[in-house]
Amino acid sequence: MAADVEASEGARTAAVRALEAEFSELITHFRRLIMDNANRVSPGMLPGAYKTFTTIARCGSVTSSALAERMLVDKGQLSRTVRDLEELDLIRRSPDPSDGRSSLLSLTPHGEAKLLEAREPQEGMLMRNLADWSVADIDSLTRLLHALSSGATPGRED
């Protein structure tokens, strides 16, 4: 019985290590994509600035404080990045109607165009990579990744 438990734990450890290795490869791939996209938006743009830019794009409009909280970054560092993005005419500040002391950050039309242009080479890559997958497999991967990222156990309703 103890040997079965040891073998089971060994198999679990090996499986988790294999998963970690695959995540490492995936992260490396995504870093490369982000660096390429950042350079297409503006040559020399750092990946952190691109992340700030795309986070603003996903939010539609957001205050600097909410953006810093969402991205888990220092407000001073974020302030410099926001200033750089403004100088590139990628984002703009507008008064926050709900709080006159703060402003909302959003993409400019130029920023929207640059983001579309930067993403174009990868457009459809995920669709192509998943073309031979069944919808059930895609749904399963989505469910499992959500469970992993939220700390839930797959198959349990929490």
Side-chain angles (χ1 to χ4, degrees):
M1 183 80 137
D4 288 342
V5 170
E6 273 185 43
S8 176
E9 286 304 311
R12 178 174 294 279
T13 298
V16 169
R17 287 181 181 160
L19 178 62
E20 180 184 25
E22 290 302 322
F23 274 131
S24 179
E25 290 297 318
L26 191 60
I27 289 167
T28 299
H29 177 73
F30 279 121
R31 281 186 179 153
R32 226 177 269 122
L33 288 176
I34 289 168
M35 285 175 33
D36 290 348
N37 285 0
N39 276 311
R40 277 192 287 278
V41 169
S42 178
M45 177 182 271
L46 296 174
Y50 182 76
K51 181 179 178 185
T52 300
F53 178 53
T54 58
T55 302
I56 294 168
R58 275 192 308 281
C59 292
S61 64
V62 63
T63 64
S64 290
S65 296
L67 184 62
E69 187 176 309
R70 181 179 181 136
M71 294 180 63
L72 302 173
V73 296
D74 174 73
K75 288 181 184 178
Q77 177 187 353
L78 180 66
S79 178
R80 288 184 294 277
T81 302
V82 164
R83 188 174 52 249
D84 292 344
L85 293 172
E86 281 182 297
E87 288 174 6
L88 291 168
D89 189 33
L90 298 171
I91 65 167
R92 67 173 161 250
R93 292 178 200 255
S94 56
D96 183 348
S98 65
D99 182 356
R101 297 168 297 165
S102 67
S103 25
L104 294 172
L105 306 173
S106 59
L107 266 57
T108 63
H110 174 71
E112 290 174 6
K114 292 301 284 184
L115 185 57
L116 284 173
E117 180 184 312
R119 289 177 168 168
E120 188 176 358
Q122 286 89 32
E123 197 73 26
M125 180 185 65
L126 197 53
M127 288 294 284
R128 285 189 302 277
N129 288 347
L130 298 174
D132 294 332
W133 287 41
S134 71
V135 172
D137 284 343
I138 296 168
D139 288 343
S140 179
L141 177 60
T142 302
R143 180 181 55 78
L144 292 170
L145 286 174
H146 176 76
L148 181 62
S149 68
S150 66
T153 301
R156 289 193 187 158
E157 302 298 320
D158 291 348

